[in-house]
Amino acid sequence: MDLEFGLTMTIVGMGVTLGTLVFLILVISLLTRLFPFKEEKKKEIEG
Amino acid sequence: MDVFGSALSSLGGGFAALTWQAAVMIVLGIGLLYLGVVKGFEPLLLLPIGFGVILGNLPLAGMSAHDEGGVLNLLYKAGILTELFPVLLFIGLGAMIDFGPMLANPVVLIFGAAGQFGIFLTLFLALSLGFARQEAASIAIIGAMDGPTAIYVTTKFAPLLLPAISIAAYSYMSLVPIIQPPIMRFMTTKKERSIVMAYGSKKVSQKVKILFPVVAGIITILIAPMGAPLMGMLMLGNFLRESGVVKRLTDVSENALANIVTLLLGLTIGASMLGGNFLQWQTILIFGLGFIAICLDTVTGVLLGKFMCFITRGKINPLIGAAGTSAFPMSSRVVQKEGQKANPRSFLLWHAIGANTGGQIGSVMAAAVMLAVMVGLGIGPLLK
């Protein structure tokens, strides 16, 4: 069995996938702090 | 009379040229049509694939994807071998997905990683069974539970396995409601399955929804540029949707484009399934390994769910972990159903959809990293 290839693929593959998703969690948290949800005010129709 | 005889000589030739392998494949094609029409298993895909199998295996018809100059051969070359069809399909997928629940509760994105572990465990199994590196990677990607991703990776590295892998990927996606529940029940106690999670009331601003596909696209593509066609198109589709200013493009992406590509993709994949290259022991192994990959994804997802349940002191229902796959929205529905079976007051759908969209990103990321590693190791496509 090509153990070296399998291990490289698993460690790099899972490691980078997990690392990227954790990084995205941080990015999303930052975005939601920078742009918090505000209830949109309904525009009053004049006239 | 000679002229009359000559004129009739080419009629009915198909019966004489019919081999037993072609006959078996035609029966298989009819079986796929039956599953799609009567049982409702992924009819959008199984119908074109089933019909493609029948057309491709009818002798002398010139309708196989490998018949040089034939209609389906042209589509196969233009859409499959160039990887165009799966990539275009990702625009539609992006336009269909609402990342809102995930953005409101980003921690669930972590389940999208756990749901990919089966890919790498299956890679070991495939290597131990003697498959070449390119074949093993292509088979393992069935565990992404994402048809277009599986087709994209297989076209790049093991195009000869494309028919078996694409059929396995799409079949198992449709069987998620049958495959996942027994594993989820086996791995959790009724008490764990009964955990009620507060319904997500947190809302996300439209600015975040618009910025996410742009920022996430840039970050993920910078990390793994090989996955740019998949991630880029997924995020483009989602950006069109969330921008709110191109309703016509969003509508075309999630409906007309996705439907046309699905039809042509299914038809050409089906027409590439010829008796000679499909009816082999290898195909059975590929289906077996694909099944194991999907089971392992569920196992690792639920295990992470149990871990999260432990560290949050019972605030997270472990079933959510099973939704960290790319089978959207089937996995979310399965989680909701199992949660309600254990506790009718439990509504897990909102959380499960968050994990499920995380699984979509996770599977594309795992495939992109896999492609990058293969290229980094100097491994090219396996053409024989």
Side-chain angles (χ1 to χ4, degrees), chain A residues 1-2 6 10 14 21 25 35, chain B residues 106 113 117 124 128 133 205 211:
Chain A
M1 187 174 94
D2 201 345
T10 304
M14 268 320 290
L21 294 182
I25 291 173
F35 305 104
Chain B
F117 207 74
F124 272 101
S128 68
R133 290 172 171 186
S205 76
L211 282 171

Side-chain angles (χ1 to χ4, degrees), chain B residues 97-119:
Chain B
I97 291 178
D98 176 11
F99 284 125
M102 184 199 73
L103 294 172
N105 185 21
V107 177
V108 292
L109 197 54
I110 210 78
F111 289 117
Q116 314 311 320
F117 207 74
I119 296 175

Side-chain angles (χ1 to χ4, degrees), chain B residues 153-215:
Chain B
V153 173
T154 309
T155 308
K156 274 209 175 304
F157 290 110
L160 293 178
L161 297 186
L162 190 58
I165 288 178
S166 49
I167 290 286
Y170 279 115
S171 307
Y172 289 139
M173 268 170 70
S174 67
L175 291 174
V176 158
I178 296 167
I179 297 172
Q180 284 198 316
I183 300 171
M184 290 156 75
R185 285 195 291 268
F186 177 74
M187 294 192 61
T188 51
T189 61
K190 190 171 181 193
K191 191 182 169 192
E192 286 172 330
R193 293 196 297 277
S194 303
I195 292 173
V196 176
M197 289 175 74
Y199 187 79
S201 56
K202 195 178 166 189
K203 289 180 179 172
V204 179
S205 76
Q206 195 58 30
K207 281 180 188 163
V208 174
K209 285 186 171 185
I210 293 172
L211 282 171
F212 175 72
V214 180
V215 176

Side-chain angles (χ1 to χ4, degrees), chain A residues 1-14 16-18 20-25 27-29 31-33 35-40, chain B residues 103 106 109-110 112-113 117 120 123-124 127-128 133 203-205 207-208 211-212 215-216 219-220 223 361-362 365-366 369-370 373-374 377 379:
Chain A
M1 187 174 94
D2 201 345
L3 193 65
E4 192 185 7
F5 171 72
L7 275 176
T8 307
M9 190 66 100
T10 304
I11 292 168
V12 178
M14 268 320 290
V16 177
T17 303
L18 188 62
T20 307
L21 294 182
V22 170
F23 188 61
L24 283 179
I25 291 173
V27 170
I28 295 168
S29 305
L31 285 174
T32 45
R33 280 182 189 209
F35 305 104
F37 178 78
K38 288 174 190 167
E39 204 69 55
E40 283 184 20
Chain B
L103 294 172
L109 197 54
I110 210 78
F117 207 74
F120 299 99
L123 179 82
F124 272 101
L127 287 170
S128 68
R133 290 172 171 186
K203 289 180 179 172
V204 179
S205 76
K207 281 180 188 163
V208 174
L211 282 171
F212 175 72
V215 176
I219 292 170
T220 51
I223 292 171
I361 295 175
M365 201 58 217
V369 176
M370 202 176 230
V373 173
M374 299 279 277
L377 292 173
I379 301 170

